[in-house]
Amino acid sequence: MNVIPTRLPGVLILEPKVFEDTRGLFYESFNARTFAQETGVTTDFVQDNHSESHRGVLRGLHYQVENAQAKLVRITHGEVLDVVVDVRRSSATFGQWIALRLSAANRRQLWVPETFAHGFLVLSDRAEFLYKTTTYFNPSAERCIRWDDPDLAIDWPLEGPPILSAKDQQGQWFRDSELLP
């Protein structure tokens, strides 16, 4: 596996070793021993999530203030712009974000530590998004930052207004959000 650090400490791009031939391809999407050896992160995943969304759907920016979740995310069909925001007030990169195209074609994965907000925009007609989490979902601790927050100024490649859930429509401005220490 190729591990690529990002400018947000702890957020990692992972490129698996892919074996292809005339029959198709094979790769390990996750191996606990390899993950720990290559990233330096040892963790237990407790939940796998799978979402399917259509072009223009924007999910996020989500995080939990208690029982925070780290995530290992990947796409098995289609393409998304995946966005991670540092929500730690004490961090040197507080309020900074990265955006990365994840797709079934590039097979990249993204490791998102517990202390970051996360969201994505679907760029293809349809995308299937899979993610492993280190803790269980806690709806009472979940927070949502508005996707269009001017203080963050995330450059979403929108072709029109995004399709948002009711929850995401109620997201808080970054400056008003309950953030992590």
Side-chain angles (χ1 to χ4, degrees):
M1 164 177 23
N2 185 29
V3 179
I4 304 166
T6 69
R7 64 184 177 87
L8 297 180
V11 177
L12 303 171
I13 301 166
L14 309 175
E15 297 176 330
K17 291 181 183 174
V18 180
F19 302 93
E20 293 186 75
D21 61 25
T22 57
R23 300 167 298 157
L25 65 87
F26 171 85
Y27 69 94
E28 286 184 343
S29 60
F30 179 75
N31 177 306
R33 182 175 43 235
T34 303
F35 183 76
Q37 289 171 347
E38 299 291 329
T39 67
V41 176
T42 55
T43 189
D44 291 320
F45 292 107
V46 300
Q47 186 173 321
D48 280 1
N49 300 315
H50 185 143
S51 73
E52 180 181 345
S53 303
H54 303 284
R55 183 184 301 277
V57 168
L58 195 154
R59 298 182 185 266
L61 301 157
H62 302 148
Y63 63 101
Q64 291 185 180
V65 293
E66 296 169 12
N67 201 35
Q69 294 180 311
K71 300 172 183 173
L72 180 61
V73 304
R74 68 188 179 108
I75 301 300
T76 58
H77 181 89
E79 181 179 24
V80 304
L81 181 74
D82 200 82
V83 174
V84 180
V85 179
D86 189 342
V87 295
R88 303 169 296 166
R89 291 185 188 279
S90 62
S91 171
T93 56
F94 174 68
Q96 294 181 31
W97 56 271
I98 61 162
L100 171 71
R101 286 179 183 251
L102 298 178
S103 69
N106 71 23
R107 298 180 192 92
R108 284 181 152 186
Q109 298 180 38
L110 191 64
W111 169 248
V112 182
E114 296 88 350
T115 53
F116 293 85
H118 176 257
F120 64 91
L121 170 67
V122 178
L123 304 174
S124 53
D125 288 338
R126 182 176 71 83
E128 292 197 31
F129 193 96
L130 278 67
Y131 55 106
K132 302 174 112 27
T133 65
T134 56
T135 60
Y136 297 104
F137 177 64
N138 180 354
S140 66
E142 185 181 38
R143 301 295 183 267
C144 179
I145 298 168
R146 289 184 59 96
W147 66 274
D148 59 349
D149 187 283
D151 291 334
L152 297 176
I154 296 169
D155 186 17
W156 300 100
L158 293 164
E159 297 174 354
I163 303 165
L164 304 170
S165 68
K167 172 178 66 176
D168 291 345
Q169 290 175 26
Q170 301 299 315
Q172 298 292 306
W173 297 113
F174 184 67
R175 68 177 150 265
D176 299 331
S177 296
E178 181 181 356
L179 302 172
L180 301 173

